[in-house]
Amino acid sequence: MVDNLVVVGVGLIGGSFARALKKAGAVRRIVGIERSPAYGERALALGIVDEVATSFDAVAGADLVLLAAPVAQTRRILAALAPHLGPGTVVTDAGSTKADVVAAARAALGGKVAQFVPGHPIAGRETNGPDAAIDDLYIGKKFVLTPLPENGAAQVERVAGAWRACGAVIHRLTPEEHDKVFAAVSHLPHLLAYALVDDIANKAHADLLFQYAASGFRDFTRIAGSSPEMWRDISLANQGALLAELDAYMTQLAHLRARLAAGDGATLEAVYGNAQRARRQWIEAIEAAEAPQPIDNAE
Amino acid sequence: MVDNLVVVGVGLIGGSFARALKKAGAVRRIVGIERSPAYGERALALGIVDEVATSFDAVAGADLVLLAAPVAQTRRILAALAPHLGPGTVVTDAGSTKADVVAAARAALGGKVAQFVPGHPIAGRETNGPDAAIDDLYIGKKFVLTPLPENGAAQVERVAGAWRACGAVIHRLTPEEHDKVFAAVSHLPHLLAYALVDDIANKAHADLLFQYAASGFRDFTRIAGSSPEMWRDISLANQGALLAELDAYMTQLAHLRARLAAGDGATLEAVYGNAQRARRQWIEAIEAAEAPQPIDNAE
């Protein structure tokens, strides 16, 4: 049970966290800190938070503080709340990159950094703001904890317990592992999809090309519909790992280009076949994990 | 009205063409030519065709012949049916590439090439074979005609009319235009998706990576679930145009890599934003085209 929760940023991520904890009966009182007066009023009207504050005074006496503002603001927010941070408060975040957040926390919190337990909920929707917040956003989704060596077990458990109460499944990685993993399976695909659509849009005959694009193209480029500002920030925040993944992919493309130019159908088929097989195994594993568990009727 | 139709290959594409024409009452009699005895029997049992033949004798006297076998077999099939091709018969195909099909037709048909009207229906499903064939596969979908200079207007119209009767919307491109367009919006995305999944599957920590892949990755890589044999053939058949598109894309990636390495957030945001805008306009145009037409209640 969280007695006093502070959520910094009451949009989709922060608002859904608040709603899920309320529904689970796992929180007593929630204060939202919000720069946008419209978002603050709306979150209050929707019953997402019990009170809205604009100053970080509100952090004093909180059990748990969730940062759910844009990642690029993390350091500024931590520096602003540091003076109000009592020893009994644990702070966590929901950013899509972790090594940069840890660096920001060390710089902004100094000796209080043990109170910061970084994390990343793997969930989202295509809409934003308090009206997009729902109480079941995190049910069955992964929450990746990336604790610091300084964190105490009770501090980590306070964060893990709150996310568990939201229905999330807790995973643990180091910040560096986290950033490498998401560079490969999320950040690189976003960059590739943006690059393809931009490439086509800049061609002289772009209208003709888009006219014949079909459902395969639509799905391949769906992630290029994401927020350019958010993905600019993620790309820069995870620059090192993203560059490494991009380099590996460009090497792979150069190899495939050479095989295609040589008319080497056997290699193309082997690469395509390996990809098809790996993807099928992945999809089967997901479907098995998401399938309803059989009910045991035996006594 | 097609009096005698021959469909070579009675799987998804050929079987759906047969079913759609039957439903429209636009065909009198359909003969299927099928190498697989199981497919032939099944197509007959399902009522897709009125008769199954294994020899190309069946082509004699047909009004229209549709080739719907794998593209790599086009030349062999055309050479086999050429001796049976009477002057009143028009032959068309459904291949995903066109310049190579035209070259195969010129080589195999010689002086009879004017009777070959190449085309490409932009429709598909994730299943195959006669059981996958449905009568509404082509409704509202594009059919791209890529006629030869030798084709007569009546020959072209016989093909266009049949596809129109299936519910398709007829478009015209030259074979070269067709191949450039589909290299950009279909063949390149397939290669990129296969390359990414293969790249990840070959990493030492592939299991960890796949564990955190989510819905964005699933959609981005959906086309990597396609048939490796079919896409090997398409890649090789459209080698020139695909290499040109791949080179343009690799240049684009090298540019983005340099901007990312330089920490140039403004350029990243401009590229991502241009892509997001172009994709949104494309989706809006599709949705407007697919929206039900308003019913005019005025007198």
Side-chain angles (χ1 to χ4, degrees):
Chain A
M1 166 66 87
V2 179
D3 206 43
N4 279 297
L5 172 67
V6 172
V7 176
V8 184
V10 290
L12 169 68
I13 297 298
S16 295
F17 182 75
R19 278 197 183 283
L21 286 179
K22 281 208 170 180
K23 189 171 186 201
V27 63
R28 193 182 59 77
R29 185 161 171 280
I30 306 180
V31 178
I33 297 183
E34 179 55 62
R35 284 209 297 183
S36 151
Y39 269 29
E41 280 170 33
R42 191 67 192 144
L44 203 56
L46 290 167
I48 293 174
V49 295
D50 302 303
E51 193 186 313
V52 174
T54 51
S55 143
F56 288 98
D57 293 358
V59 164
D63 305 284
L64 184 63
V65 178
L66 172 70
L67 306 192
V71 187
Q73 297 177 31
T74 304
R75 182 165 174 174
R76 185 189 62 72
I77 292 170
L78 287 172
L81 66 75
H84 309 283
L85 195 58
T89 302
V90 172
V91 182
T92 186
D93 81 313
S96 301
T97 53
K98 295 272 67 79
D100 69 310
V101 163
V102 170
R106 290 194 186 285
L109 298 178
K112 294 179 176 175
V113 77
Q115 291 170 246
F116 182 71
V117 182
H120 177 200
I122 316 302
R125 299 177 71 191
E126 305 209 347
T127 48
N128 277 300
D131 285 283
I134 51 178
D135 61 26
D136 59 357
L137 183 65
Y138 303 115
I139 293 178
K141 298 299 194 307
K142 294 184 179 73
F143 176 77
V144 183
L145 264 175
T146 61
L148 308 180
E150 294 92 333
N151 294 149
Q155 291 165 320
V156 172
E157 180 50 32
R158 193 177 303 170
V159 174
W163 284 103
R164 223 179 273 124
C166 294
V169 181
I170 313 299
H171 289 240
R172 273 191 190 228
L173 294 172
T174 67
E176 294 69 29
E177 284 170 341
H178 171 282
D179 287 359
K180 279 188 192 174
V181 165
F182 288 90
V185 301
S186 172
H187 309 169
L188 178 63
H190 275 79
L191 185 147
L192 299 179
Y194 280 127
L196 183 72
V197 180
D198 179 66
D199 182 33
I200 290 180
N202 289 337
K203 289 184 198 275
H205 55 307
D207 287 351
L208 180 70
L209 297 176
F210 279 121
Q211 192 183 344
Y212 292 100
S215 64
F217 184 84
R218 187 193 59 218
D219 288 354
F220 184 83
T221 61
R222 186 177 65 79
I223 49 184
S226 309
S227 157
E229 298 78 16
M230 179 177 157
W231 283 93
R232 172 203 63 198
D233 289 348
I234 290 174
S235 301
L236 293 176
N238 202 16
Q239 188 193 41
L242 181 53
L243 281 172
E245 291 301 327
L246 179 54
D247 286 344
Y249 186 72
M250 288 172 74
T251 301
Q252 160 88 329
L253 285 190
H255 168 66
L256 275 181
R257 195 219 177 274
R259 295 296 86 213
L260 176 60
D264 179 358
T267 296
L268 294 182
E269 187 179 350
V271 169
Y272 295 179
N274 186 47
Q276 186 202 39
R277 218 165 20 250
R279 188 175 187 280
R280 190 173 52 228
Q281 287 168 2
W282 171 62
I283 294 282
E284 285 168 0
I286 292 175
E287 286 173 352
E290 288 178 355
Q293 296 304 308
I295 294 166
D296 188 352
N297 286 318
E299 299 204 341
Chain B
M1 166 66 85
V2 179
D3 206 43
N4 279 298
L5 171 68
V6 171
V7 177
V8 184
V10 289
L12 168 68
I13 296 297
S16 294
F17 182 74
R19 279 197 183 283
L21 286 179
K22 280 208 172 180
K23 189 172 186 200
V27 65
R28 192 183 60 76
R29 185 162 171 281
I30 307 180
V31 178
I33 298 183
E34 181 55 63
R35 283 209 296 183
S36 151
Y39 269 29
E41 279 170 33
R42 191 68 191 141
L44 203 56
L46 289 167
I48 294 174
V49 296
D50 302 302
E51 192 186 314
V52 175
T54 51
S55 141
F56 287 98
D57 293 358
V59 164
D63 305 285
L64 184 63
V65 178
L66 172 70
L67 306 192
V71 186
Q73 297 176 31
T74 304
R75 181 162 174 177
R76 185 190 61 72
I77 292 170
L78 287 173
L81 67 75
H84 308 282
L85 195 57
T89 302
V90 172
V91 182
T92 186
D93 80 315
S96 301
T97 53
K98 295 271 68 82
D100 69 310
V101 163
V102 169
R106 290 193 188 284
L109 298 178
K112 293 178 176 175
V113 77
Q115 291 170 246
F116 182 71
V117 182
H120 177 200
I122 316 303
R125 300 177 72 191
E126 303 208 348
T127 49
N128 277 301
D131 285 283
I134 51 177
D135 60 25
D136 59 356
L137 183 65
Y138 303 115
I139 293 178
K141 298 300 193 308
K142 294 185 179 73
F143 176 78
V144 183
L145 265 175
T146 61
L148 307 180
E150 294 91 334
N151 295 147
Q155 290 165 321
V156 172
E157 180 50 32
R158 194 178 301 171
V159 174
W163 283 103
R164 224 178 272 124
C166 294
V169 181
I170 312 300
H171 288 239
R172 274 192 189 226
L173 295 172
T174 67
E176 293 70 29
E177 284 170 341
H178 171 281
D179 287 358
K180 278 189 193 174
V181 166
F182 287 92
V185 300
S186 172
H187 308 170
L188 177 63
H190 275 80
L191 184 147
L192 299 179
Y194 280 127
L196 182 72
V197 181
D198 179 66
D199 183 32
I200 289 180
N202 289 338
K203 289 183 198 275
H205 56 307
D207 287 350
L208 180 70
L209 296 176
F210 280 121
Q211 192 184 343
Y212 291 100
S215 63
F217 184 84
R218 187 194 59 218
D219 289 354
F220 184 83
T221 61
R222 187 176 66 78
I223 49 184
S226 310
S227 157
E229 299 77 18
M230 179 176 157
W231 283 93
R232 172 203 63 198
D233 290 348
I234 290 174
S235 301
L236 293 176
N238 202 16
Q239 188 192 42
L242 180 52
L243 283 172
E245 291 300 327
L246 180 54
D247 286 345
Y249 186 71
M250 289 171 74
T251 301
Q252 160 87 329
L253 285 190
H255 169 66
L256 275 181
R257 195 218 177 274
R259 295 296 85 215
L260 176 60
D264 179 358
T267 296
L268 294 182
E269 186 179 349
V271 169
Y272 296 179
N274 186 46
Q276 186 202 39
R277 217 166 20 251
R279 187 174 188 281
R280 190 173 53 229
Q281 287 168 1
W282 171 63
I283 293 282
E284 285 169 0
I286 293 175
E287 287 174 352
E290 288 178 356
Q293 296 305 307
I295 295 166
D296 188 351
N297 286 318
E299 297 204 343

